[in-house]
Amino acid sequence: MSLSNPLPFKERVEQALNDPFLRQSLKNAQARFREGKQKAGQALGNLEEWRTRAEAIRRHTIEHLDYYLDLFATNVEKNGGTVFFAETEQEAVEYLIRLAKAKQAQTVIKSKSMVSEETHVNHRLEEIGVEAIESDLGEYIIQLAKEMPSHIIAPAIHKNRKQIAQLFSAVAGEELPEDTSALTRFARHQLRDKFLNANIGISGCNFAVAETGSIVLVSNEGNARLTTTLPKTHVVMMGMERIVPTWEDLDAVLSLLPRSATGQKITSYVTALTGPRRENDQDGPEEMHVIIVDNGRSNALGTDYQSILHCIRCGACLNVCPVYRHIGGHAYGSVYPGPIGAVLTPVLKGFDQWEELPYASSLCGACTEACPVKIPLHDMLIDLRRDEVGQKRSPWIERLAFRLFGAAMKYPALYRLGLKMAKYLLRPQAGEEGFLNKGPGPLKAWTQARDFPAPAPESFREWWERQGRHGGEPHGR
């Protein structure tokens, strides 16, 4: 989905459903990730015990988040770093812009960071004339395409080689072959100069270890290490929930993250950073700034949605979701797609503009079963729908229909009358197979994608009155 022209939710969904390449790519990727996760999980032994332990660590951390954030910030500053707490997206970006201006930065190199996507950092830096370059290959591709990520860990999953070759050819000024090795080689060559010349490196944070004030990054391309080492200034952008208390706790969640995400036992690189360069260090930044972003996360604390902050951003829920499989990430319209995005986005930003997301789910529960930290995602989706109804955000015709249904369930005579009316109104519109393909009124949206069974010629209640209560004989005869 283009960054500049977001379509309404239903049009985004329609667009995705009419993209056979996207749907096949997602189907293949989900199968590959699920198979890999199963194999990697078996190596851990009792996976349920690991999930239970990780869930306990995340729950304990979030329940004591203020303590661990304070401990982490204190230790970062002891190590020579600077900490800034940003309550809003605005505050986070303004701090970064002040820093870029103070350093007279011309170029910023970035490793993968969902928080920087969430706060639209690239766009804001471009406004002040600073070039922001994504160094994660998938992020680099979608930056050239001016699109949002379509998957938390595989942002360019919706692109094929031909499309990538076209994007890279436009940068190269010549036609590049549709060859994976050649395209990767070109991207590496392009980014190498950017790493060497960048004034500031911006990274995300997979986990922040409170007991030592350390930042831990996982990657498969080595770009995070270069981003955090070569520029003189390193900026970490992290959500305030990314804390783990100790290195021992990190071991548990880090063992589950790559297995749940890509089916890897461990990623190619695991980088731990504790402060900027010290006196005898061979490399590293001269300054480290850690921006700890709230941006709506406090909305979840103390509510039924608090455990959404347990998320470790593995994307496992996307890899099993049947809805995501068909519509992909851009249809959600949020930086965070899939089941986690359908819950997290309304929690962070409210229902305005995002009220459709809780309904982008079949409620099958596969996301909850896949989650390595046992977040009850499908229960939360139901709770969000409940909240929307409570705020009267559903269409008036839907509210009227449920009000009438409630009245009918309360008064038996009205219920029986409703059944008879439904039979006479709907049966003539049913096809030969007994299903409504084009329902009237509120049923129209339902029957656009699903068949609605027509009422039976004789309801059970009618049969019971006529025959059932008499032992199956008409009128007891």
Side-chain angles (χ1 to χ4, degrees), residues 71-146:
L71 178 62
F72 170 72
T74 300
N75 285 327
V76 169
E77 290 173 347
K78 282 182 182 175
N79 297 327
T82 302
V83 177
F84 178 74
F85 284 91
E87 184 176 347
T88 63
E89 172 184 329
Q90 246 77 16
E91 290 182 5
V93 174
E94 285 170 6
Y95 180 87
L96 185 60
I97 287 176
R98 286 197 301 273
L99 185 64
K101 287 180 177 177
K103 300 298 177 186
Q104 298 182 321
Q106 301 294 315
T107 307
V108 166
I109 192 79
K110 292 177 61 196
S111 62
K112 190 169 173 51
S113 164
M114 294 304 291
V115 171
S116 73
E117 296 280 355
E118 177 187 326
T119 51
H120 311 291
V121 160
N122 291 7
H123 176 64
R124 296 296 302 277
L125 287 174
E126 287 170 8
E127 287 180 341
I128 61 167
V130 177
E131 183 186 31
I133 303 294
E134 298 286 353
S135 65
D136 175 270
L137 183 56
E139 294 281 351
Y140 180 60
I141 291 167
I142 63 167
Q143 184 181 28
L144 294 179
K146 301 185 186 306

Side-chain angles (χ1 to χ4, degrees), residues 365-386:
C367 50
T368 298
E369 288 187 18
C371 179
V373 290
K374 297 187 175 182
I375 300 173
L377 288 163
H378 72 293
D379 288 337
M380 289 185 175
L381 289 167
I382 294 173
D383 291 342
L384 285 168
R385 295 180 187 188
R386 178 203 62 201

Side-chain angles (χ1 to χ4, degrees), residues 239-255:
M240 68 180 195
E241 78 283 12
R242 308 253 44 91
I243 297 279
V244 291
T246 66
W247 287 94
E248 187 177 355
D249 294 327
L250 176 72
D251 175 54
V253 290
L254 195 56
S255 296

Side-chain angles (χ1 to χ4, degrees), residues 27-193:
K27 182 180 177 183
N28 295 342
Q30 282 192 332
R32 190 169 60 251
F33 286 146
R34 283 200 307 272
E35 184 181 355
K37 179 188 173 187
Q38 187 176 10
K39 289 180 179 177
Q42 287 172 350
L44 277 178
N46 192 329
L47 185 60
E48 274 307 299
E49 288 184 1
W50 281 87
R51 290 180 72 208
T52 300
R53 183 182 169 200
E55 190 271 339
I57 291 169
R58 295 301 292 149
R59 185 178 64 250
H60 169 81
T61 306
I62 299 303
E63 286 176 349
H64 303 85
L65 188 58
D66 52 349
Y67 169 78
Y68 287 116
L69 278 174
D70 182 63
L71 178 62
F72 170 72
T74 300
N75 285 327
V76 169
E77 290 173 347
K78 282 182 182 175
N79 297 327
T82 302
V83 177
F84 178 74
F85 284 91
E87 184 176 347
T88 63
E89 172 184 329
Q90 246 77 16
E91 290 182 5
V93 174
E94 285 170 6
Y95 180 87
L96 185 60
I97 287 176
R98 286 197 301 273
L99 185 64
K101 287 180 177 177
K103 300 298 177 186
Q104 298 182 321
Q106 301 294 315
T107 307
V108 166
I109 192 79
K110 292 177 61 196
S111 62
K112 190 169 173 51
S113 164
M114 294 304 291
V115 171
S116 73
E117 296 280 355
E118 177 187 326
T119 51
H120 311 291
V121 160
N122 291 7
H123 176 64
R124 296 296 302 277
L125 287 174
E126 287 170 8
E127 287 180 341
I128 61 167
V130 177
E131 183 186 31
I133 303 294
E134 298 286 353
S135 65
D136 175 270
L137 183 56
E139 294 281 351
Y140 180 60
I141 291 167
I142 63 167
Q143 184 181 28
L144 294 179
K146 301 185 186 306
E147 294 178 356
M148 290 168 51
S150 62
H151 191 288
I152 288 177
I153 58 166
I157 197 172
H158 58 291
K159 294 290 185 192
N160 59 28
R161 270 185 299 181
K162 182 177 181 180
Q163 292 169 320
I164 295 169
Q166 289 171 346
L167 290 168
F168 285 8
S169 297
V171 177
E174 61 178 322
E175 187 171 345
L176 298 177
E178 297 174 17
D179 174 71
T180 303
S181 297
L183 294 173
T184 305
R185 195 160 49 244
F186 171 78
R188 185 182 297 121
H189 177 74
Q190 285 292 115
L191 291 172
R192 183 66 60 172
D193 285 340

